[in-house]
Amino acid sequence: MEKLRRVVKEIAFAQDYTKLSTLHQTLIPILSLASSLYKVVLSIRHYLYHLGFFSKHRLPVPVISVGNLTWGGNGKTPMVEFMASWLADSGISPLILTRGYAGGDEARMLTRHLRGKSVKIGVGANRAATAACFLKRHGYLDPRDYLVEGNWHEQGSRINSRKIGVVVLDDGMQHWSLQRDIEIVMVNGLTPWGNHQILPRGPLREPMKALKRADVVVVHHANLVPNRNMNTRIPLDIICNGAVLCVSAIGSANAFVQGMEKMGTLYVDRLDFSDHHSLRDTDIEMIRMKLKELEDKFGFMPVVVITEKDYDRDPEILRHLSPYKVMALCSELQIIPCRCNGDDDFKKLLKDIVEVKFLGANQN
């Protein structure tokens, strides 16, 4: 199954099908048929929402959706953390709604990163029901108290309430049952749209025209896109001039590996698993064999680098790979200034959109 997933992903991001293997070529017609059926299902679902057959829930506080148009590796979780941290620092307590996919590794990471801040995290597939439960338990702020009276930050600091002021919807672009006031779409700058095909033949969750729903589009991994001169400083001196094995089960392993290569590492090898994959005994054995090969090749012990999400999914990996050193790479979203616009301008843009869309909707 893991091999099949890898093959499907290679097809989804292939730029030249003539270079694919016979196995890849054999699967393309099957994937194309499945994609056509999936597109029909999407159209029917969208039409039923349009007719009102399926209802959209409106929460009493602004909802900021962070989602993507393609599968995994688009930086949703760092953006959710950025938004929640900013709101909490402004005195407005946010509620993060996440589905808790694959054992809730993302929820655990967010909980650890946001510890000490007035942030609540609700986990559940039915995010409208989860939100209702949290709003009933903690109460909520009237958005007009901090949206209309001057500076948002000043008003939030004055209120400084533990009541919920804003909901941040994680992976919300295709979660149509909950109305949102801001649609933030994350795009992987290294492989924006793959082969431009719908799942499962391509990486698109919806047709490209769905991008029109976005209020804000954020390019993730912008510092890795060619023709950018960025200096990335990560306190991992131990890997400089050494051999590194990147082990990951995330949506965009290429960006993870390229980031490690930019840090001056002597040699970088990799083992990629499908997104949210939980390591089995056979996987651990395969990792150990790869580490032994690198040790024999270079004459010293290589270092294993995993992502923080992978660590939260399987913290026992640190023990299973002893005596090899295992390090978890932590990430934090950084707004890259462009045309004199920085993170303050980004926050102001979000504030302006919330004021216009949320207050306007409540006045109609």
Side-chain angles (χ1 to χ4, degrees):
M1 182 60 69
E2 184 64 30
K3 181 179 180 181
L4 178 61
R5 290 175 180 171
R6 187 177 295 114
V7 169
V8 170
K9 186 173 182 178
E10 289 170 354
I11 293 173
F13 290 98
Q15 300 300 317
D16 185 358
Y17 282 177
T18 62
K19 296 181 179 180
L20 296 177
S21 69
T22 303
L23 174 61
H24 292 73
Q25 299 282 359
T26 304
L27 284 175
I28 289 176
I30 301 173
L31 295 175
S32 297
L33 175 60
S35 294
S36 298
L37 294 174
Y38 178 65
K39 189 173 182 179
V40 171
V41 172
L42 276 178
S43 299
I44 294 173
R45 181 170 178 249
H46 188 274
Y47 186 63
L48 292 175
Y49 268 104
H50 180 72
L51 291 179
F53 187 81
F54 294 144
S55 60
K56 290 187 176 183
H57 300 276
R58 159 61 73 179
L59 298 181
V61 296
V63 175
I64 301 174
S65 168
V66 179
N68 56 1
L69 200 55
T70 60
W71 70 43
N74 295 277
K76 294 189 305 292
T77 305
M79 175 57 77
V80 167
E81 180 184 338
F82 175 87
M83 296 296 304
S85 181
W86 164 51
L87 289 165
D89 290 344
S90 299
I92 301 169
S93 180
L95 166 64
I96 297 174
L97 294 178
T98 178
R99 60 181 175 175
Y101 185 73
D105 52 353
E106 295 167 351
R108 287 195 294 271
M109 188 177 77
L110 287 168
T111 299
R112 184 174 59 254
H113 283 198
L114 297 168
R115 186 174 291 121
K117 294 181 180 289
S118 180
V119 178
K120 300 166 181 64
I121 301 177
V123 180
N126 189 336
R127 281 173 270 190
T130 303
C133 179
F134 272 78
L135 292 168
K136 181 178 180 180
R137 183 188 311 163
H138 300 282
Y140 59 89
L141 292 174
D142 185 339
R144 291 171 295 185
D145 290 341
Y146 59 85
L147 285 178
V148 297
E149 299 180 9
N151 184 277
W152 189 352
H153 187 279
E154 291 176 359
Q155 295 303 321
S157 298
R158 177 177 61 79
I159 296 169
N160 198 25
S161 173
R162 302 291 294 184
K163 294 181 179 180
I164 296 169
V166 174
V167 166
V168 180
L169 183 59
D170 179 31
D171 198 9
M173 188 175 185
Q174 287 75 40
H175 192 79
W176 299 345
S177 63
L178 202 59
Q179 291 191 29
R180 68 288 316 274
D181 302 285
I182 296 182
E183 187 83 77
I184 299 177
V185 177
M186 305 297 295
V187 177
N188 188 336
L190 292 176
T191 53
W193 320 116
N195 59 9
H196 293 256
Q197 300 294 320
I198 297 287
L199 289 169
R201 180 179 172 181
L204 293 177
R205 293 177 167 186
E206 298 181 67
M208 288 289 296
K209 63 181 181 181
L211 200 60
K212 295 179 181 179
R213 302 201 308 267
D215 296 295
V216 179
V217 176
V218 179
V219 180
H220 187 45
H221 300 311
N223 61 312
L224 298 178
V225 176
N227 300 323
R228 286 273 187 183
N229 294 316
M230 297 297 300
N231 293 318
T232 304
R233 295 185 298 171
I234 304 177
L236 290 177
D237 296 339
I238 190 171
I239 69 169
C240 291
N241 300 317
V244 167
L245 177 63
C246 293
V247 178
S248 65
I250 57 176
S252 180
N254 286 340
F256 169 46
V257 175
Q258 287 183 31
M260 300 306 301
E261 290 173 340
K262 288 183 64 175
M263 296 174 58
T265 306
L266 175 66
Y267 181 82
V268 177
D269 208 334
R270 61 194 291 177
L271 281 176
D272 304 338
F273 298 91
S274 59
D275 199 11
H276 297 288
H277 174 76
S278 295
L279 294 178
R280 305 183 181 89
D281 291 341
T282 53
D283 300 326
I284 296 295
E285 185 60 30
M286 181 169 58
I287 295 171
R288 296 187 70 89
M289 290 176 60
K290 175 65 71 172
L291 289 169
K292 187 65 170 62
E293 290 177 10
L294 293 174
E295 186 175 0
D296 292 342
K297 179 177 181 178
F298 293 99
F300 53 83
M301 294 181 68
V303 175
V304 179
V305 179
I306 62 175
T307 71
E308 194 172 9
K309 281 188 181 180
D310 293 314
Y311 168 76
D312 278 309
R313 192 181 309 112
D314 186 13
E316 288 297 301
I317 189 175
L318 301 180
R319 180 174 60 85
H320 290 323
L321 295 178
S322 177
Y324 294 100
K325 185 179 292 293
V326 181
M327 306 185 71
L329 182 66
C330 302
S331 62
E332 180 179 284
L333 186 135
Q334 177 187 8
I335 303 294
I336 300 175
C338 180
R339 298 174 185 171
C340 300
N341 294 318
D343 56 353
D344 289 338
D345 301 280
F346 179 70
K347 294 171 183 175
K348 183 179 183 302
L349 172 65
L350 297 178
K351 171 184 175 293
D352 291 343
I353 294 175
V354 169
E355 289 181 356
V356 171
K357 298 188 73 173
F358 184 83
L359 294 179
N362 282 274
Q363 289 173 358
N364 294 334

